[in-house]
Amino acid sequence: IAAGAVALAEMSNDAKRQVIAIAVGDEVTPIVIGTGAVTFRTPYAFTLTDVRASLTTAQASGSILTVDINEGGTTVLSTKITLDNTEKTSTTAATAPVISDSALADDAEITVDIDQVGDGTAAGLKIYLIGYQA
């Protein structure tokens, strides 16, 4: 370690904060219900502290858009991510997601499921895994 540098283990979790952002489809095709809408692998062991989702186009009405994140086929959320109608972000949702499994293993297979959609106009879904390298 260079003079004045701080080892990763010595840094606070806030200082180590990272975001893994994943596009779930393209920017214009409407989101549809389904399992495994996208699959990717974690680049290292990761401690999950928050999750978010965003849209390019919000849906206007219908059932609330609901998204699940799975590690190795098992959900990591006890309360799934929702995006309220007319909103482009989950940060303003009436119900916040709750993480039930924060320890993502190195090279874990992560899948994103679309559990519920509304009027079929939502598009441009992205998910954000927020946390730090374990």
Side-chain angles (χ1 to χ4, degrees), residues 11-12 14 17 31 36 38 40 44 46 55-56 60 66-67 75-76 79-80 87 93 99 102 112 122 133:
M11 296 172 68
S12 73
D14 284 340
R17 184 176 169 163
I31 305 301
V38 69
F40 62 97
Y44 36 73
F46 193 74
L55 295 166
T56 302
T66 305
V67 179
T75 187
V76 300
T79 302
K80 297 175 185 179
E87 307 229 351
I99 298 167
S102 62
V112 177
Q133 187 172 348

Side-chain angles (χ1 to χ4, degrees), residues 27 31 52-60 64-65 67 81-94 121-128:
E27 294 293 302
I31 305 301
R52 295 182 181 180
S54 66
L55 295 166
T56 302
T57 304
Q59 65 183 26
I64 296 189
L65 181 62
V67 179
I81 302 170
T82 58
L83 291 101
D84 295 334
N85 291 335
T86 73
E87 307 229 351
K88 293 183 178 182
T89 178
S90 64
T91 62
T92 56
T121 58
L125 178 64
K126 287 114 186 135
I127 60 139
Y128 306 88

Side-chain angles (χ1 to χ4, degrees), residues 6 13 22 41 44 55 60 62 80 82 86 91 93 97 111 114 123-124 132:
V6 177
N13 291 341
I22 302 295
R41 293 195 169 273
Y44 36 73
L55 295 166
K80 297 175 185 179
T82 58
T86 73
T91 62
T111 56
I114 311 304
Y132 54 91

